[in-house]
Amino acid sequence: MYLKPGRLGPSIVMKSLTTIDITRRSLQITKALSARKDRSSNLKVDSFANGSNASYIERLYRKWAKDPNSVDESWHNYFTGKRRTIKQDRQLKTKHRKWEPAAAGTGGSTTTPAPAADWKYIDDHLVVQAIIRAYQTRGHLAADLDPLGIVGPTGHTPSTEDKKLQATKAVLRQHYAYAFNDLNALFKLPTTTLIGGDEQFLPLREILDRLERAYCGHIGVEYMMITSILKSTWIRQHFEVPGAINFSAEEKKLILERLTRSSGFENFLAKKYSSEKRFGLEGCDIMIPIMKEIIDQSSKLGVESVHIGMAHRGRLNVLANVCRKPLEEILSQFNSIKATDGGSGDVKYHLGLFTKRYNRQSKKNVRITVVANPSHLEFVNPVVLGKARAEMFMRGDYQGNKVLPVLIHGDASFCGQGVVYESIHLTDLPAYTTYGTIHVVVNNQVGFTTDPRFSRSSRYCTDVARVVNAPIFHVNADDPEACVHCARVAAKWRAKYHRDVVIDIVGYRRNGHNEADEPAFTQPLMYQRIRKLKPCTVKYAEKLVHDGVIKMEEYTEMTAKYEKICNEAFEKSQKIKTFKNSHWIDSPWSGYFQGRNRLKLCPTGVNLKVLMHIGNKFASPPPTENKFTLHKGIMRILGIRKKMVEDKIADWSLGEAFAIGTLVKDGIHVRISGQDVERGTFSHRHHVLHDQTKDKVRYNSLQHLYPDQAPYDVCNSSLSECAVMGFDLGYSMANPNTLVIWEAQFGDFANTAQAIIDQFVASGETKWVRQSGLVLFLPHSMEGMGPEHSSGRLERFLQLSNDDPDCFPVMCDSDYVARQLLNCNWIVTNLTTPANLFHALRRQVGMSFRKPMINFSPKSLLRHPLARSPFRDFNECSSFQRIIPDKGKASHNPECVEQLILCSGKVYYDLVKERDDHDQEATTAIVRVEQICPFPYDLIYKQLELYPKADLFWVQEEHKNQGAWTYVQPRLDTVLIELKANDRCFLYRGRPPNSASSTGNKVQHLTEYNDLITSIFGELTEENKCRMEEKKKAAKSKALKESEAKLAKEKMAKMKEEGKDPKGAGPAGSAPPAKPQRKPTDSTSPSEGPSPAAPAASASPGRKSASSAPTNQPNQARKQNVPQAPAKQENQTPKRADTPNPNSSKQENTPARKQHSPTPATDPNRTKTEEKPSSEDPNDFW
Ligand SMILES: Cc1ncc(C[n+]2csc(CCOP(=O)(O)OP(=O)(O)O)c2C)c(N)n1
């Protein structure tokens, strides 16, 4: 029973519960339920009751108040309070002494609505509750956050005390017309606030005061968007409860000591290096104590490793005073000293760091990493997250208890850069979560020279974090205790809930953007204020002296002590003449490089047994005990896989699976990440199978190959390239024994991650001596799919490659190939066979160093009948092939070859088909350049030697200003110079220059294709056409025969099943076995999702006969001049002593390899009528 103070009206007795109580009751029930759930399942459970439930109850209540019979009896009992015990009522009564007891006879239940005066009472409480809620929701708008006093509470008003108060009232009480004429009136506090501490009732004045203190002081808390009541209550416990911000004298001294170091460091640098850029922290000096508090607190709560990502502002200070990098090493970077190891180096405020420190507060060791970052603001964020996630994985820390990422942002960049949003959005994705990141915004209220009002549309620079419901603590940088309190709460929040949290340190920038800038050019009034402002450290020291926490002498001594440390370090730094880039590395990979011969490449082939095991697993459905219902299309695909394993031939998907399977077998953790990678954009991969009858039941056979295998993760990502690629790059940096692959949906989209590619992948090792073996799969090829589904922009990657185009490498030693790889900044490949993909991926971890690999992966080739590799191309005698020479007719008679075509990627299969159609197999040799960078000078040299009379062409399907041409041209010239072939030169055959990467018009695409082919092989002659027609007929009749055979076989099987004699006599099953089926010419394309255009339709578009004139005139007479193949001539063997026979299929890096007489199945010259090699005889393949 609730009573109302007499002053606000006549004493009345409430006969029923108020709305507030109802809401409270529903919330309490919810809380109890949630807590119970929490205990039982140990899961974080959000409340199901929320504002809308409460308003539902409120509506019921109003209905009931009008007509008690209009609601269910249970609600009637509820509203009349029947279930409450007498004891409870008595407790309430005694607690509220000022209130009068209930009038006799009016208590208990009633069926009549409350008298009108009761509504006033209810309204009073509702208003108080609403005000409390307004402070909780919008109090931060009226908080005193700006140490400069420029930005008033509502964002526009000047902050004079009076105006501020008005603004506060306007913001927080504007919706409530109710006039409180008695601020001493007592109100029952709702359970949605903790401002009462132990008190349940407070006078209105005190309620308002406490709300002001909790929400409108130096901290503005944004948290009401959080939907969990448990979490909101947790926040209130840390900000609303009286005395929540409470520091002992010792703790206050520690804050001052840390502040003194922070300011002292900047002051020292300003004095000693006045003309140097250092991007000082002055104005936000408190960032250092905040970082220290986060680390202390987190370490106490179990964190063992902290990964920090930050930009220029205050970075040197963080290295000095958070990571405690020896000061002399930092100061030496201001001198002109040389690095004694490799790398081009970077400016001092970009360098990384790794350190292991004893934390005095937690008394535990903590590893701290500051990830090297480029000038590109915020792009380091996903890299840090990926690195942290990988470390969690390696430690088996599956809840992020031991590893913590902390990102430090600038205010302008935090709200301005899209990568922030993309990265923050990874926070709750299972394969990308870091179980919460602590974000610290060094908000100096200016971005270079731009005011916030011109640099963002949102109220706060931190609004981007609201999308993940992260609590945001805005805090005045000149209140050190409030700041450190926020840091403490943030660390506790992250440890408890494993979710993101933001600390927005609202301060200022005492100097210009850098120390040489004059800030008053652009912010004159702001800087007038700044110049009058005492530094925060001085103000805090004075406060502590005033409060008797320290004596002034102590502070003076503190300052002098740190200055002495700096001076001594300065002296030492003067003696440092050189340094090592490797001492500034964030991923030291301790032990990895020790005792390794960097020039040794491990073999990549594996034995047949392993392939068969992996192949069979990959082709099998989930074990029957799983009772897994597969999609019919998947069953068909598994069937095709099974057949391939039986036939010992692999398509792209199987080749890739072999690479993954063999690596995890060897203990290498493999991770593939990107959009739709689980199935594969082109529906070719299908690593994750989905039960068709049960939700979230999935199966990945590659995770179940061997009991002791390393984990394999294939992760569909968010629709982001930049953050996800950055994340995977970070992941690859954590441990060299991991293969990380990022796959683009189409290569075209990779350029939204251009900054990650340019700033990290291409140049990370050069700038920061930090290696990564990240692999990018960029689906690429001109298949008439339009300008944004055709090109991964090969030319751009090649243009960023660092190998010298004019320098023919010395390759007289056996280490040449490894050295080339070691010296390049990345490997660029455009592979044409599954086996080469397999070797390339295995080579990534077989090298004694790590290099990124950019692989332009196929689309139509995923299912192309010729883009398959026999198992022998995966065996111990096989290895990666940098080029694949022509092995057909032309190679048997190289002297007579008139055209030597070098090409790369899918166009090879088009050329082979066209060469066949034009009947030019003997006169045109086609060589595939599989590894474009580093350029295979040695092998191309041999090819040019081999075909001494051939005209030379570089053929590409890309436009002339795109693709590999501009990269290969000077390098091919270099080879020709080395060969002293002054009379020879490479001509370009391909599409003309274009600004778009491809046409989107099918007709145009075909015309371009025809032009390209005609420019190489000429028009189809009548003879050619007749031959093609005959071939077509033959193929048709063969297909018909095959389908008849298949039908007969099926019929026979059916008859057998039914117990009939297929021959019409004799016992069932005595029929002769059906003729073995030929290998499939193509895999079935599942119906769902985009699939690459069928090879016949788009990979090799049908040619319009002579409809379009070629842009380049080919040698029309070529075909007529085909001589009979003579025996191999002496002069066909390479002249150079170190030049192996280019005609041999012997592969690189493999000393001995069996020679195989039969034409490999990958040889495009092999016609479809060729019999597949017998699967019974392993020697046939091995
Ligand atoms: C992606 C990117 N765009 C532009 C710049 C140029 N730039 C360097 S610092 C800066 C201002 C950054 O402001 P803020 O994020 O508030 O950090 P502050 O320097 O104020 O600490 C700009 C625009 C950059 N480094 N990176």
Side-chain angles (χ1 to χ4, degrees):
M1 191 178 297
Y2 285 174
L3 304 171
K4 187 172 169 24
R7 284 194 209 173
L8 288 175
S11 281
I12 52 145
V13 178
M14 278 295 289
K15 300 178 190 99
S16 57
L17 300 180
T18 62
T19 311
I20 298 167
D21 301 317
I22 294 160
T23 310
R24 181 173 57 96
R25 180 175 285 192
S26 82
L27 297 184
Q28 276 172 342
I29 294 166
T30 308
K31 221 164 137 186
L33 281 175
S34 298
R36 206 183 311 150
K37 260 192 189 172
D38 225 356
R39 275 196 301 278
S40 62
S41 65
N42 209 15
L43 287 171
K44 291 172 227 89
V45 181
D46 282 359
S47 160
F48 60 82
N50 48 35
S52 53
N53 293 18
S55 65
Y56 166 68
I57 299 170
E58 196 176 325
R59 274 204 309 281
L60 268 183
Y61 173 78
R62 291 187 191 286
K63 204 173 161 199
W64 168 81
K66 275 190 189 154
D67 175 14
N69 294 322
S70 65
V71 300
D72 184 80
E73 194 188 354
S74 59
W75 281 111
H76 174 75
N77 288 339
Y78 185 86
F79 292 138
T80 53
K82 265 187 186 165
R83 283 184 197 162
R84 284 172 53 200
T85 62
I86 296 165
K87 197 175 155 208
Q88 275 175 324
D89 285 352
R90 227 179 260 145
Q91 276 173 350
L92 277 171
K93 258 191 239 173
T94 46
K95 192 130 200 168
H96 183 49
R97 285 188 211 105
K98 216 180 154 189
W99 291 12
E100 289 174 12
T106 52
S109 66
T110 178
T111 50
T112 53
D118 282 8
W119 293 114
K120 170 83 172 107
Y121 175 77
I122 292 167
D123 284 346
D124 285 353
H125 271 80
L126 281 176
V127 167
V128 169
Q129 193 205 21
I131 288 174
I132 291 170
R133 196 173 172 82
Y135 271 91
Q136 290 171 334
T137 313
R138 295 186 295 280
H140 55 85
L141 295 173
D144 181 10
L145 300 176
D146 179 10
L148 300 177
I150 293 172
V151 180
T154 56
H156 301 290
T157 46
S159 70
T160 62
E161 275 309 303
D162 210 28
K163 279 190 174 165
K164 186 179 161 199
L165 200 66
Q166 293 309 318
T168 309
K169 281 181 183 165
V171 169
L172 301 172
R173 305 172 194 174
Q174 59 191 339
H175 300 303
Y176 314 110
Y178 182 86
F180 290 104
N181 53 12
D182 182 4
L183 288 174
N184 292 324
L186 269 184
F187 282 86
K188 165 78 177 68
L189 294 170
T191 53
T192 50
T193 185
L194 301 175
I195 53 166
D198 294 335
E199 305 278 336
Q200 283 195 44
F201 297 87
L202 284 179
L204 180 58
R205 183 194 310 282
E206 185 64 17
I207 291 174
L208 294 175
D209 276 0
R210 290 191 187 191
L211 287 171
E212 282 282 320
R213 276 203 296 277
Y215 289 106
C216 302
H218 284 156
I219 301 175
V221 194
E222 263 190 283
Y223 71 106
M224 288 297 279
M225 63 286 193
I226 297 172
T227 48
S228 155
I229 286 178
L230 282 181
K231 292 185 186 116
S232 313
T233 307
W234 189 93
I235 297 278
R236 286 173 197 146
Q237 275 162 1
H238 291 85
F239 290 99
E240 281 192 354
V241 170
I245 305 180
N246 187 18
F247 289 94
S248 67
E250 275 314 300
E251 287 173 326
K252 289 178 185 178
K253 270 193 215 169
L254 186 62
I255 295 173
L256 180 64
E257 213 172 287
R258 288 172 170 179
L259 253 181
T260 306
R261 279 178 168 262
S262 175
S263 313
F265 181 76
E266 298 296 349
N267 292 342
F268 183 80
L269 293 187
K271 231 176 3 191
K272 290 284 182 196
Y273 309 99
S274 53
S275 58
E276 286 274 347
K277 281 188 204 173
R278 63 186 156 87
F279 298 102
L281 196 52
E282 298 100 318
C284 285
D285 316 56
I286 194 64
M287 187 260 264
I288 298 298
I290 283 179
M291 286 298 294
K292 296 286 276 184
E293 181 64 29
I294 289 172
I295 295 171
D296 291 352
Q297 198 58 234
S298 300
S299 168
K300 282 181 196 164
L301 294 168
V303 165
E304 293 169 7
S305 177
V306 181
H307 291 256
I308 300 172
M310 68 178 300
H312 49 282
R313 181 81 52 217
R315 191 177 177 104
L316 296 176
N317 211 326
V318 167
L319 297 190
N321 288 317
V322 176
C323 311
R324 294 292 175 93
K325 172 114 183 144
L327 264 182
E328 58 273 19
E329 286 184 28
I330 298 173
L331 299 181
S332 71
Q333 287 288 319
F334 285 89
N335 305 334
S336 303
I337 56 171
K338 252 182 120 172
T340 53
D341 53 0
S344 62
D346 200 348
V347 290
K348 50 192 167 292
Y349 41 84
H350 285 171
L351 300 177
L353 170 139
F354 168 79
T355 182
K356 212 174 182 179
R357 279 185 53 75
Y358 178 72
N359 185 294
R360 288 208 207 116
Q361 303 304 314
S362 65
K363 301 188 176 46
K364 293 179 195 168
N365 279 325
V366 186
R367 294 156 60 96
I368 304 177
T369 304
V370 180
V371 178
N373 80 298
S375 281
H376 287 56
L377 297 165
E378 304 290 345
F379 282 84
V380 77
N381 301 357
V383 182
V384 174
L385 298 180
K387 197 161 180 286
R389 166 75 187 214
E391 191 179 332
M392 286 175 194
F393 169 83
M394 276 149 34
R395 286 169 170 264
D397 176 20
Y398 298 119
Q399 298 208 314
N401 291 323
K402 294 182 181 161
V403 181
L404 165 72
V406 181
L407 296 177
I408 304 175
H409 313 268
D411 53 317
S413 46
F414 193 51
C415 61
Q417 291 292 313
V419 67
V420 174
Y421 175 86
E422 285 188 34
S423 307
I424 231 169
H425 234 295
L426 299 177
T427 193
D428 230 5
L429 309 184
Y432 301 86
T433 179
T434 46
Y435 305 97
T437 298
I438 299 181
H439 301 268
V440 178
V441 184
V442 179
N443 181 354
N444 52 26
Q445 307 191 69
V446 59
F448 211 142
T449 65
T450 305
D451 288 341
R453 66 201 153 117
F454 298 117
S455 74
R456 64 172 187 260
S457 299
S458 56
R459 174 72 173 76
Y460 294 111
C461 63
T462 53
D463 281 5
V464 62
R466 290 174 63 110
V467 294
V468 292
N469 280 343
I472 301 164
F473 311 143
H474 307 280
V475 58
N476 187 317
D478 271 7
D479 184 341
E481 287 170 24
C483 288
V484 174
H485 177 72
C486 288
R488 189 171 288 184
V489 177
K492 285 183 181 172
W493 164 271
R494 194 273 174 182
K496 183 160 180 65
Y497 293 114
H498 295 289
R499 301 188 77 88
D500 284 27
V501 53
V502 181
I503 306 166
D504 174 20
I505 313 171
V506 187
Y508 57 92
R509 191 185 67 194
R510 187 162 284 278
N511 303 307
H513 174 62
N514 63 58
E515 290 62 33
D517 272 349
E518 170 51 85
F521 284 163
T522 49
Q523 274 74 26
L525 299 183
M526 184 188 222
Y527 276 82
Q528 279 171 24
R529 280 186 192 225
I530 289 173
R531 283 186 193 122
K532 285 183 202 146
L533 213 62
K534 261 190 198 169
C536 163
T537 312
V538 176
K539 279 198 281 187
Y540 188 55
E542 286 172 357
K543 180 182 178 296
L544 293 194
V545 171
H546 176 266
D547 295 348
V549 178
I550 56 159
K551 295 197 177 72
M552 193 40 121
E553 304 85 75
E554 279 180 76
Y555 171 60
T556 318
E557 202 180 306
M558 220 182 252
T559 318
K561 192 176 152 199
Y562 188 66
E563 202 174 334
K564 186 164 173 265
I565 292 172
C566 290
N567 275 318
E568 283 170 5
F570 179 78
E571 293 307 321
K572 281 191 203 164
S573 75
Q574 297 307 303
K575 293 182 189 127
I576 297 176
K577 297 294 170 219
T578 59
F579 77 105
K580 281 191 174 212
N581 279 317
S582 53
H583 289 170
W584 293 80
I585 195 164
D586 50 44
S587 331
W589 292 353
S590 327
Y592 171 70
F593 296 113
Q594 274 153 27
R596 274 180 184 251
N597 175 0
R598 305 240 280 173
L599 297 179
K600 185 176 179 301
L601 296 176
C602 294
T604 51
V606 297
N607 83 32
L608 175 64
K609 245 168 118 182
V610 173
L611 294 180
M612 292 303 284
H613 175 78
I614 295 170
N616 278 318
K617 285 269 184 185
F618 188 53
S620 302
T624 42
E625 65 265 23
N626 291 16
K627 298 202 171 89
F628 200 98
T629 314
L630 277 178
H631 189 279
K632 272 187 189 156
I634 296 291
M635 290 186 14
R636 211 166 48 235
I637 289 167
L638 294 182
I640 292 165
R641 283 180 187 167
K642 197 97 199 154
K643 184 79 173 61
M644 281 194 294
V645 176
E646 282 164 20
D647 293 349
K648 296 194 178 66
I649 191 136
D651 70 355
W652 210 270
S653 162
L654 188 52
E656 183 187 85
F658 281 156
I660 295 164
T662 51
L663 287 173
V664 293
K665 175 179 179 288
D666 295 346
I668 302 294
H669 164 44
V670 180
R671 171 185 169 97
I672 302 187
S673 142
Q675 291 150 32
D676 308 297
V677 293
E678 294 180 4
R679 188 200 74 168
T681 297
F682 309 104
S683 204
H684 74 288
R685 186 171 286 129
H686 290 289
H687 284 188
V688 178
L689 309 183
H690 294 257
D691 192 309
Q692 297 296 306
T693 56
K694 291 172 225 125
D695 190 27
K696 295 181 191 134
V697 176
R698 297 144 53 99
Y699 180 78
N700 182 343
S701 58
L702 295 178
Q703 289 174 341
H704 305 281
L705 298 173
Y706 299 93
D708 55 348
Q709 70 174 69
Y712 167 52
D713 290 336
V714 53
C715 337
N716 280 355
S717 76
S718 64
L719 213 167
S720 142
E721 284 78 27
C722 186
V724 176
M725 189 195 289
F727 186 98
D728 289 313
L729 173 81
Y731 201 103
S732 76
M733 282 156 41
N735 184 346
N737 293 319
T738 306
L739 178 71
V740 185
I741 302 171
W742 177 84
E743 182 174 73
Q745 185 116 86
F746 283 84
D748 312 63
F749 303 116
N751 61 5
T752 74
Q754 202 61 52
I756 297 291
I757 294 167
D758 293 344
Q759 267 49 55
F760 290 91
V761 187
S763 57
E765 185 185 355
T766 309
K767 292 189 288 191
W768 309 312
V769 295
R770 187 188 56 208
Q771 299 187 5
S772 155
L774 178 72
V775 175
L776 304 186
F777 278 177
L778 308 179
H780 170 92
S781 58
M782 310 285 278
E783 300 182 1
M785 295 176 89
E788 277 76 45
H789 293 81
S790 297
S791 175
R793 293 300 194 167
L794 179 57
E795 64 280 5
R796 293 199 183 143
F797 289 88
L798 292 174
Q799 194 254 330
L800 289 171
S801 301
N802 67 354
D803 59 334
D804 190 339
D806 305 321
C807 187
F808 194 85
V810 179
M811 45 196 184
C812 48
D813 65 275
S814 57
D815 297 332
Y816 159 68
V817 175
R819 184 171 296 108
Q820 237 200 345
L821 290 168
L822 179 66
N823 291 337
C824 69
N825 59 328
W826 57 20
I827 301 162
V828 180
T829 52
N830 195 8
L831 308 176
T832 57
T833 72
N836 233 12
L837 173 73
F838 166 86
H839 290 294
L841 291 177
R842 286 181 56 78
R843 188 178 69 166
Q844 278 302 97
V845 282
M847 296 186 294
S848 300
F849 47 86
R850 293 290 173 264
K851 283 292 156 188
M853 179 171 102
I854 319 300
N855 180 47
F856 288 82
S857 48
K859 297 183 296 195
S860 62
L861 293 199
L862 296 172
R863 295 193 177 81
H864 197 291
L866 297 180
R868 293 179 178 202
S869 302
F871 280 18
R872 67 163 174 271
D873 286 356
F874 298 84
N875 74 7
E876 295 103 319
C877 299
S878 61
S879 66
F880 180 69
Q881 292 188 277
R882 289 176 291 149
I883 69 163
I884 303 183
D886 196 315
K887 292 166 195 163
K889 278 187 195 164
S891 68
H892 301 148
N893 234 331
E895 275 287 322
C896 303
V897 166
E898 296 167 15
Q899 279 200 123
L900 171 62
I901 290 177
L902 298 192
C903 64
S904 191
K906 183 220 115 197
V907 73
Y908 166 76
Y909 291 99
D910 296 337
L911 293 174
V912 164
K913 178 192 171 294
E914 298 293 347
R915 178 178 64 176
D916 190 28
D917 288 352
H918 287 78
D919 200 17
Q920 293 182 18
E921 293 100 318
T923 53
T924 303
I926 307 176
V927 174
R928 286 171 268 181
V929 181
E930 300 277 296
Q931 176 183 295
I932 310 176
C933 170
F935 195 67
Y937 285 100
D938 52 335
L939 302 180
I940 287 176
Y941 181 98
K942 287 165 201 161
Q943 291 299 305
L944 297 186
E945 266 188 333
L946 180 65
Y947 300 102
K949 294 182 187 156
D951 292 339
L952 306 175
F953 296 97
W954 173 263
V955 177
Q956 65 178 37
E957 54 181 358
E958 298 89 351
H959 290 277
K960 195 171 184 178
N961 55 332
Q962 300 165 26
W965 173 237
T966 46
Y967 174 86
V968 297
Q969 188 187 24
R971 286 164 178 83
L972 292 172
D973 283 349
T974 301
V975 179
L976 288 169
I977 291 168
E978 180 70 15
L979 200 60
K980 298 192 174 54
N982 297 342
D983 54 338
R984 303 175 84 186
C985 86
F986 270 89
L987 295 179
Y988 169 81
R989 291 288 182 268
R991 288 174 165 83
N994 197 354
S995 58
S997 54
S998 156
T999 173
N1001 179 301
K1002 286 246 184 277
V1003 178
Q1004 172 74 12
H1005 175 72
L1006 289 182
T1007 309
E1008 286 175 4
Y1009 176 84
N1010 284 331
D1011 287 351
L1012 167 65
I1013 296 302
T1014 314
S1015 73
I1016 300 160
F1017 299 110
E1019 299 288 357
L1020 282 168
T1021 61
E1022 284 310 312
E1023 197 185 328
N1024 292 151
K1025 286 179 196 166
C1026 290
R1027 210 168 30 82
M1028 281 168 70
E1029 205 48 51
E1030 274 160 28
K1031 258 191 179 177
K1032 239 188 234 169
K1033 276 186 202 156
K1036 222 174 178 180
S1037 83
K1038 186 185 152 216
L1040 195 72
K1041 270 188 205 154
E1042 277 179 358
S1043 85
E1044 279 168 7
K1046 197 177 162 198
L1047 272 176
K1049 196 180 166 191
E1050 279 169 9
K1051 199 173 158 192
M1052 211 141 65
K1054 201 172 167 203
M1055 287 170 80
K1056 250 191 207 174
E1057 225 177 76
E1058 289 165 358
K1060 292 179 196 161
D1061 181 354
K1063 281 185 171 177
S1070 63
K1075 245 183 142 186
Q1077 242 183 293
R1078 290 186 192 284
K1079 74 182 172 61
T1081 50
D1082 197 0
S1083 57
T1084 326
S1085 166
S1087 52
E1088 75 270 22
S1091 56
S1098 60
S1100 311
R1103 301 192 59 214
K1104 285 187 282 173
S1105 56
S1107 61
S1108 54
T1111 48
N1112 305 299
Q1113 285 309 309
N1115 182 354
Q1116 297 286 345
R1118 208 161 273 138
K1119 194 208 156 276
Q1120 283 74 36
N1121 296 338
V1122 182
Q1124 287 302 301
K1128 215 172 203 172
Q1129 298 294 309
E1130 271 288 328
N1131 61 4
Q1132 274 183 264
T1133 31
K1135 289 168 203 145
R1136 295 161 64 100
D1138 58 335
T1139 310
N1141 180 0
N1143 208 21
S1144 136
S1145 62
K1146 183 172 173 177
Q1147 302 183 14
E1148 302 156 26
N1149 316 325
T1150 312
R1153 186 174 184 271
K1154 285 186 214 162
Q1155 296 297 307
H1156 305 293
S1157 44
T1159 317
T1162 42
D1163 187 342
N1165 297 316
R1166 210 173 91 154
T1167 63
K1168 287 179 191 170
T1169 49
E1170 233 176 296
E1171 281 297 329
K1172 71 179 169 61
S1174 153
S1175 59
E1176 265 67 61
D1177 180 11
N1179 289 329
D1180 195 22
F1181 289 105
W1182 298 85

